[in-house]
Amino acid sequence: MTTRRKFLTTAGLAGAATFAAPNIIRAQAPIKWRLQTYSGAPLGAHVIKPQIEAFNKAANGEMEIELFYADQLVPTGELFRALQNGTLDAVQSDDATMASPADVAAFGGYFPFSTRYSLDLPVLFERYGLNEIWKSAYDEIEGVEWLGAGAWDPLHIFTKDKAIRSIEDMRGLRVFGVPTAGRFLSRYGLIPVTVPWEDVEVALQTGELDGVAWCGFTEAYEVGWADICKYGLLNNVTGAWCGSYFANSESWAKVPPHLQELFKITMDQSHYYRQVWYWGGEADLRVNGDKLELTTIPAQEWETVVKDAESFWEELASENERAAKVVEIFKKYQKVMEKAGVPYRYG
């Protein structure tokens, strides 16, 4: 018994010595990202803020993304360069607005008459090969990772003082808008004007701008432009804006796989949120909105604009081989939708 007690005492002391000074495991500092969106704060509250808040919560302290709105850190036209050089870790924008050098950049934003509905765009990416084309385009550009695209709202024209009821009424109007659509609409005398997003409201009030060709009814009401503009043209130039998420390559490589997957999941959550928000908003505000007088260019006259888009498509297709592939996909998709008929296409 004496020997046993001595053994237990010795063992206890040894155990105490063993556990007295445990190794201290220090928590790794969270990964910090700075992400800037193309949108101002009122719009960003819907198009990206819910996603970033969801990601930060689900990342459980392992990673934190700080969100910046249009022009807060860098001008919108310098987003791509800032992303590439690491000033920003991530960007949400369309390719054209952020001045991407990719040979598919012109298809970002609003590509005239490429879609009828917002659901067309994700189908084109997921089922018709645009995912692979965009990935291959950005794989050729050092320092930037393309993470995926989603749909936003249709493109309408809103004007402050002059109603548009014919193609000729567009002539001479100075409008804030996205690059590719502006390039197309300039055929009809519309003058695209670039100003910082936050300055659009003041530019409308001072007369520097006559209107906007940037968004649909949901945004026009949400950000306050419908309070200044008097008229909304019901004819839309395309059914959905094409926006993407991008990351700096080095920043993305430092994110562990489970957090990369989490970011992509919350991207999809954001795409879904926007589909519902815009789709419901467009219909409701055209019917129940009381801030804009709705105008229409007669169908027969508007059909000439739709027809003109064919030559615009060919113009872009001639610029490079990858652009030609994108245009061929749009043509193929259009034929399928027209043959499918209701509910995919009405007339």
Side-chain angles (χ1 to χ4, degrees), residues 249-289:
S249 296
E250 289 187 8
S251 298
W252 185 246
K254 292 175 183 177
V255 176
H258 70 286
L259 290 178
Q260 288 184 352
E261 190 65 24
L262 178 62
F263 188 81
K264 290 180 178 179
I265 288 169
T266 56
M267 273 173 45
D268 287 341
Q269 180 187 45
S270 180
H271 295 329
Y272 177 74
Y273 178 99
R274 277 184 276 100
Q275 285 274 3
V276 176
W277 185 63
Y278 279 121
W279 185 256
E282 292 302 301
D284 179 61
L285 291 169
R286 291 181 213 184
V287 175
N288 299 312

